[in-house]
Amino acid sequence: MAIRKIVKIGDDTLRKVCRPVTQIDKRILTLLGDMAETMYAADGVGLAAPQVGILRRVVVIDVGEGLVELINPEIVATEGASVGPEGCLSVPGRRGLVERPTKVTVHALDRKGREIEVVGTGLMAVALCHEIDHLDGVIYVDKMIKDITDQEEEE
Ligand code: NI
């Protein structure tokens, strides 16, 4: 595994629509491993492939409940709405308030190509929405209600 360079906002790569994975080959498995290592090294809770410059529908998330790897993830159901703080490894030094569903159901493939369903609530629901948005060229700042200042963060 290797730590990859994280693409920052302003780079066109983050604005492209990613292609689905058609074959889970060695390159995709290496990508998954590298993305997890990169996410942990950067102290993030999620990372999408375009953030390391790869325009494929691949996401890794760990909100403290263990690593979740998603290939070709799709949101199939949402419930509720809640406004909460969000940040992004591609948007350093900034956080903002975003409205997201409180519960999200996602269908995806795991690294063995098996169809899986992931149901996330709270932070996991936010992470699923945030990372899947990246696969369609959407960054949380596009949906942000307002910036959070350091002072507000401490309150
Ligand atoms: Ni992000």
Side-chain angles (χ1 to χ4, degrees):
M1 294 207 294
I3 293 172
R4 300 204 188 186
K5 188 168 179 281
I6 297 177
V7 175
K8 300 299 191 307
I9 193 166
D11 190 311
D12 275 355
T13 309
L14 292 175
R15 295 310 193 172
K16 302 262 167 68
V17 174
C18 296
R19 288 175 297 144
V21 173
T22 51
Q23 195 184 350
I24 302 171
D25 54 16
K26 197 163 165 255
R27 285 183 63 186
I28 295 295
L29 297 177
T30 301
L31 175 65
L32 280 166
D34 287 356
M35 283 174 61
E37 190 172 356
T38 303
M39 172 182 73
Y40 289 126
D43 234 350
V45 298
L47 196 68
Q51 292 183 274
V52 292
I54 306 293
L55 295 174
R56 288 307 188 114
R57 304 190 78 84
V58 175
V59 158
V60 296
I61 295 172
D62 188 341
V63 295
E65 298 163 358
L67 178 64
V68 177
E69 299 174 323
L70 302 172
I71 297 167
N72 300 342
E74 277 185 53
I75 294 173
V76 296
T78 64
E79 268 179 46
S82 173
V83 174
E86 244 167 87
C88 180
L89 294 175
S90 293
V91 189
R94 205 173 161 191
R95 287 173 69 75
L97 292 178
V98 185
E99 183 177 296
R100 300 286 192 184
T102 53
K103 184 179 176 186
V104 178
T105 304
V106 170
H107 286 178
L109 299 177
D110 69 8
R111 61 163 51 229
K112 291 187 170 153
R114 295 175 299 207
E115 288 177 21
I116 55 168
E117 180 174 276
V118 177
V119 179
T121 59
L123 184 55
M124 186 60 180
V126 172
L128 287 165
C129 292
H130 178 119
E131 300 312 332
I132 292 170
D133 270 354
H134 272 301
L135 305 181
D136 293 315
V138 175
I139 303 175
Y140 85 92
V141 292
D142 304 339
K143 298 181 166 181
M144 194 170 71
I145 296 163
K146 68 185 213 57
D147 270 293
I148 303 172
T149 64
D150 288 345
Q151 196 180 353
E152 283 171 323
E153 194 86 281
E154 284 164 17
E155 283 169 3

